[in-house]
Amino acid sequence: EVVMTQSPATLSVSPGERATLSCRASQSISIFLAWYQQKPGQPPRLLMYDASTRATGIPARFSGSGSGTEFTLTISSLQSEDFAVYYCQHYDSWPLTFGPGTRVDIK
Amino acid sequence: QITLKESGPTLVEPTQTLTLTCTFSGFSLTSSGVAVGWIRQSPGKALEWLALIKWDGDKRYSPSLRSRLTIIKDTSKKQVVLTMTDMDPVDTATYYCAHRRDYSHFDPWGQGILVTVSS
């Protein structure tokens, strides 16, 4: 089983600042990684897939990078609507697994 | 537009069997590469993938829950049903179903259903 870890657990950022979230896989997953955003009381929303492809309707301030075991989600200039929890998920093999999440809150 | 909606009991007693239905629209579960998965989230916790059924009938389960899960599809009704046996309070969670295509990510997700296990 591929174990996904995320860091930091919580990221405190001021609006307008850059946020960098990390996701690590316990073994190589190529680029088979997705990022989701989840706000309270809502289901997860797809942000990124194949590590760096933005999903439909996702603003350009979101970008993804990485391959193998190390991945990054960057939010270039945080907007008020971006404060949420972010999860990574691999789909390289079975079982599918998610990371524990990174909470981005207002500094 | 693809939509999914979960339905089922919101309260089950310990040891009972949970049956959840995902009713979807906007896609066909007979189309190549399409799948529907179930994912749950305990209160305040992370996401946990449970099971998935593909367009060709192939089924995949979380190894840790395999013995308790069954997933089936009814393509004519556009439904996917998940059953989980021997429910325990630790299974209290919001259960989501989600569309998957091309062996990739989940998108979109249903709104979820909160299931509480309590006597």
Side-chain angles (χ1 to χ4, degrees):
Chain A
E1 173 175 323
V2 178
V3 177
M4 307 301 293
T5 56
Q6 291 185 243
S7 61
T10 302
L11 187 59
S12 296
V13 186
S14 299
E17 288 188 339
R18 182 186 191 93
T20 302
L21 290 66
S22 294
C23 174
R24 177 176 292 178
S26 61
Q27 62 194 65
S28 178
I29 57 170
S30 184
I31 61 166
F32 302 129
L33 184 96
W35 289 94
Y36 302 89
Q37 176 194 67
Q38 188 178 34
K39 297 179 180 179
Q42 296 184 17
R45 172 196 181 197
L46 177 70
L47 295 177
M48 208 77 58
Y49 62 94
D50 291 347
S52 62
T53 302
R54 270 191 304 276
T56 303
I58 301 303
R61 64 180 181 272
F62 290 90
S63 63
S65 64
S67 66
T69 61
E70 302 282 343
F71 301 87
T72 300
L73 176 70
T74 301
I75 311 170
S76 60
S77 176
L78 268 154
Q79 306 299 302
S80 58
E81 62 266 29
D82 301 335
F83 293 97
V85 180
Y86 293 82
Y87 294 97
C88 60
Q89 177 233 325
H90 88 85
Y91 42 91
D92 176 71
S93 60
W94 303 102
L96 307 178
T97 55
F98 291 84
T102 290
R103 179 180 303 277
V104 178
D105 63 20
I106 301 175
K107 187 174 182 181
Chain B
Q1 179 191 6
I2 292 175
T3 64
L4 307 98
K5 185 174 183 179
E6 304 86 354
S7 59
T10 57
L11 179 65
V12 298
E13 295 186 357
T15 75
Q16 284 189 334
T17 293
L18 172 68
T19 299
L20 294 174
T21 300
C22 176
T23 303
F24 58 86
S25 64
F27 68 95
S28 172
L29 199 36
T30 60
S31 299
S32 178
V34 175
V36 171
W38 284 93
I39 304 101
R40 72 178 179 180
Q41 185 172 37
S42 300
K45 302 293 187 181
L47 301 160
E48 178 184 20
W49 171 71
L50 301 176
L52 179 140
I53 188 163
K54 300 178 186 177
W55 62 282
D56 59 357
D58 187 26
K59 303 171 186 180
R60 302 284 175 163
Y61 296 100
S62 166
S64 62
L65 293 166
R66 182 191 303 273
S67 63
R68 298 174 54 205
L69 296 174
T70 302
I71 189 169
I72 63 170
K73 63 183 173 80
D74 186 329
T75 52
S76 62
K77 290 184 177 179
K78 287 186 168 276
Q79 292 180 334
V80 172
V81 176
L82 180 76
T83 59
M84 181 180 291
T85 60
D86 195 25
M87 293 292 285
D88 183 272
V90 300
D91 296 313
T92 294
T94 297
Y95 288 76
Y96 298 99
C97 62
H99 167 267
R100 188 189 195 214
R101 191 183 67 183
D102 297 333
Y103 314 100
S104 183
H105 48 276
F106 288 112
D107 180 52
W109 297 51
Q111 280 298 308
I113 181 169
L114 175 59
V115 178
T116 301
V117 184
S118 175
S119 55

